[in-house]
Amino acid sequence: MTRASTTSSADRPAAAGKGLAAGTLGLAGSVVIGLASTAPVYSLAATVGFVVLAVGAQAPIAIILAFIPMYLTAYAYRELNEAVPDCGTSFTWTTKAFGPWAGWMAGWGVIVAGTIVLANLAQIGAKYFWLLIGNPDLYNNVLVVTATGVAFIAAMTFVSVRGIEIGELLQNVLLAIQYLALILFVIFAMVSVFGGAAPDGSTLPQADWFNPFAFDSLPGFTEAILLCLFIYWGWDACLALNEETKDPKRTPGRAALISTVILVLTYVAVAVAAMAYAGLGEDGLGLGNSDNAEDVFFVLKDALFGPWAWLLIVAVMVSAISSTQTTILPTARGTLSMATYRALPERFGRVHPRFRTPAFSTVVMSVVASVFYVGMTIVSDAFLSDTILSLGLAIAFYYAITSFACVWYFRRELMGSVRNFLTRGLFPLVGGVILTAAFVQSAVDMFDPDYGYTVLFGVGGVFVIGVGSLFVGAVIMIIWFFFPRAKAFYRGQSLNRDTPVLVPEDEARIPRSVDGGRM
């Protein structure tokens, strides 16, 4: 190991990159990371019921419509990554397009989203662990659940520090378990429906479920779309691992697009199967029953899986734990990049000399998430629930900024070809506009004191948490401005449009992916 590998990445020449393990992930591994980060089983369990309550039979088309801005945003990520394959993703790209202030806030949006979701995923994983054990007392014991959740975060932190290879192997297994459960769910449900063995209230799938003009309530439609945006979030994790990926300019972008397509197919198939099997009634197993909304899989597991019901419990638990690890990865690499370009203290830019991972950033991020989780639990479980409801603001915020950054960064090239106009201009612009509208509408809805579970300062607690977390970032950004190390960043010297990014040399260090190329 050379001496350069033991120093801060901020002090390395561009040819050495940031010290990460270059050329580790292929296309398949990147897709797995992108899928696992969304926690597909948990996302479906926690969301499908509420989407049905919001729009009834139009739930499948709502899932498809919410996919559109995600897919368009994925194009922005792909194009920006091809030009600037930096693990800072939104932070780096936005800084190059709009300058240091906007870039710093984009990076902060990623940090906020990761911290909030990590705390909630840890709680879900812990609860389902004790549910699997079959001890209802421990399942309802706040102290035990919280301690177990923190232990899960610590375990996934250990895996993340040890290296991306171990993490990839673990994610392959955990994602396989999730998709096994989902495939069986769809098969069992549809066989029961078409075989006449489904419970009362079941119905055959209807073409009208996919009618985009059948929504009868604008507030319900808006709520459903916002809920569905949440279940797609996380696919961009594979972009943050670009510097550790074979063919880093192409593979991560392809993986992002492939991940989003697989997700929409998965979500629509499971939603249709659940609606057909359980029906839309307001009693019993019906998805119109508000008592079933919090966890559709838990409600249907015994009726559908019988003695194998534990498989769905395992799948939800695994989904949460899996996403815990994949949430740590992009956030840690984002702060590594921010430190490299002097947007954060130098220590965040250090890479472990042996494992070649951002160990310090990984540990700090996990500690902050654990403290946040414990703190919110102490305040109240309702407050913790409101944090996840506020997540949509941070997601829409940094996705929208990144989409607009793509348009502005490539503005001089948009008219060069039809492809450039579509993939670097129109698609990202439309995606950004939709996500901006989602952000504004979310903020308006969250301001209502009746939104969520808590009220703070006379307005909805969800609004205070969502907007407040972004405001805290603005305050920290201003404070950092006064530190000597930050001057080069805020003056546009350490990172600007023309600054060579600190990434590994493509030809010298990264073997070309055999399946690389443009999608």
Side-chain angles (χ1 to χ4, degrees):
M1 188 66 66
T2 64
R3 179 177 179 81
S5 64
T6 62
T7 61
S8 166
S9 61
D11 299 322
R12 295 190 188 92
K18 299 183 184 69
L20 297 171
T24 302
L25 286 175
L27 179 62
S30 295
V31 172
V32 167
I33 295 294
L35 292 174
S37 297
T38 65
V41 177
Y42 163 62
S43 296
L44 283 165
T47 306
V48 168
F50 288 108
V51 174
V52 172
L53 289 179
V55 294
Q58 264 45 65
I61 188 60
I63 293 173
I64 294 173
L65 291 176
F67 163 74
I68 293 174
M70 290 294 101
Y71 191 66
L72 297 178
T73 301
Y75 269 102
Y77 273 74
R78 188 189 75 168
E79 296 301 313
L80 285 166
N81 180 78
E82 185 173 314
V84 187
D86 189 278
C87 67
T89 61
S90 293
F91 156 74
T92 305
W93 302 331
T94 304
T95 301
K96 280 181 162 289
F98 297 135
W101 299 92
W104 201 100
M105 286 303 299
W108 177 257
V110 177
I111 294 172
V112 167
T115 302
I116 290 176
V117 80
L118 189 57
N120 284 272
L121 288 170
Q123 184 188 52
I124 295 298
K127 282 192 171 184
Y128 272 82
F129 172 78
W130 292 112
L131 187 62
L132 180 65
I133 296 299
N135 192 321
D137 292 333
L138 294 180
Y139 172 84
N140 294 310
N141 188 306
V142 176
L143 179 60
V144 171
V145 167
T146 304
T148 306
V150 172
F152 280 149
I153 293 177
M156 293 301 101
T157 301
F158 175 79
V159 172
S160 298
V161 169
R162 291 284 297 183
I164 194 65
E165 300 96 332
I166 298 176
E168 180 188 4
L169 291 174
L170 176 64
Q171 291 304 326
N172 286 334
V173 175
L174 298 183
L175 189 67
I177 294 173
Q178 293 184 67
Y179 267 86
L180 172 63
L182 292 177
I183 291 170
L184 290 177
F185 179 90
V186 173
I187 293 175
F188 290 169
M190 299 312 292
V191 168
S192 296
V193 169
F194 285 99
D200 293 340
S202 63
T203 179
L204 293 175
Q206 306 293 320
D208 192 56
W209 294 357
F210 298 90
N211 183 359
F213 304 104
F215 294 99
D216 56 12
S217 168
L218 180 58
F221 169 78
T222 303
E223 180 182 355
I225 295 299
L226 293 175
L227 285 168
C228 293
L229 287 178
F230 164 71
I231 65 177
Y232 287 112
W233 176 72
W235 54 264
D236 54 309
C238 58
L239 275 301
L241 302 178
N242 48 17
E243 296 185 37
E244 297 150 277
T245 304
K246 300 180 179 72
D247 198 359
K249 290 186 176 182
R250 300 182 181 182
T251 299
R254 296 184 67 203
L257 292 174
I258 293 172
S259 297
T260 56
V261 172
I262 293 176
L263 285 172
V264 70
L265 294 175
T266 301
Y267 291 159
V268 171
V270 173
V272 168
M275 290 168 59
Y277 180 81
L280 304 176
E282 298 180 1
D283 300 316
L285 297 178
L287 298 189
N289 184 346
S290 59
D291 294 335
N292 300 336
E294 289 192 3
D295 190 339
V296 170
F297 290 153
F298 183 80
V299 172
L300 300 180
K301 63 181 177 63
D302 293 320
L304 195 55
F305 279 71
W308 295 92
W310 57 269
L311 180 59
L312 276 180
I313 296 177
V314 170
V316 176
M317 179 189 73
V318 162
S319 181
I321 295 174
S322 171
S323 190
T324 297
Q325 196 247 336
T326 53
T327 299
I328 293 172
L329 295 177
T331 310
R333 280 147 183 81
T335 52
L336 165 68
S337 183
M338 293 178 75
T340 297
Y341 301 112
R342 300 180 179 272
L344 282 179
E346 181 268 343
R347 290 196 66 183
F348 286 91
R350 296 179 182 177
V351 173
H352 195 285
R354 176 183 175 189
F355 303 124
R356 299 169 72 186
T357 57
F360 181 80
S361 287
T362 300
V363 172
V364 169
M365 189 269 176
S366 301
V367 170
V368 170
S370 297
V371 171
F372 176 79
Y373 171 36
V374 173
M376 293 300 97
T377 302
I378 292 174
V379 173
S380 78
D381 196 51
F383 206 72
L384 183 62
S385 298
D386 273 356
T387 63
I388 199 67
L389 291 177
S390 73
L391 186 61
L393 289 181
I395 295 172
F397 175 78
Y398 82 83
Y399 274 173
I401 288 180
T402 305
S403 296
F404 294 137
C406 179
V407 178
W408 191 250
Y409 184 81
F410 294 113
R411 64 189 183 280
R412 296 185 180 93
E413 305 170 24
L414 297 182
M415 297 305 171
S417 68
V418 174
R419 178 196 175 276
N420 282 356
F421 177 76
L422 293 176
T423 62
R424 296 181 171 185
L426 183 61
F427 291 172
L429 178 62
V430 174
V433 169
I434 294 174
L435 289 167
T436 300
F439 178 89
V440 174
Q441 185 61 53
S442 295
V444 172
D445 292 342
M446 292 173 183
F447 191 82
D448 189 337
D450 293 330
Y451 193 102
Y453 302 96
T454 61
V455 177
L456 296 173
F457 311 113
V459 300
V462 179
F463 176 86
V464 175
I465 296 169
V467 175
S469 62
L470 296 177
F471 177 77
V472 168
V475 172
I476 295 175
M477 176 177 63
I478 293 172
I479 293 175
W480 178 241
F481 172 81
F482 293 99
F483 282 76
R485 174 178 166 79
K487 299 302 181 183
F489 173 71
Y490 286 108
R491 290 171 181 167
Q493 297 170 341
S494 60
L495 181 62
N496 55 57
R497 182 181 179 88
D498 301 319
T499 305
V501 293
L502 291 175
V503 297
E505 291 292 337
D506 295 1
E507 298 299 326
R509 299 188 57 188
I510 307 294
R512 182 178 175 83
S513 173
V514 295
D515 52 6
R518 192 175 304 283
M519 183 160 173

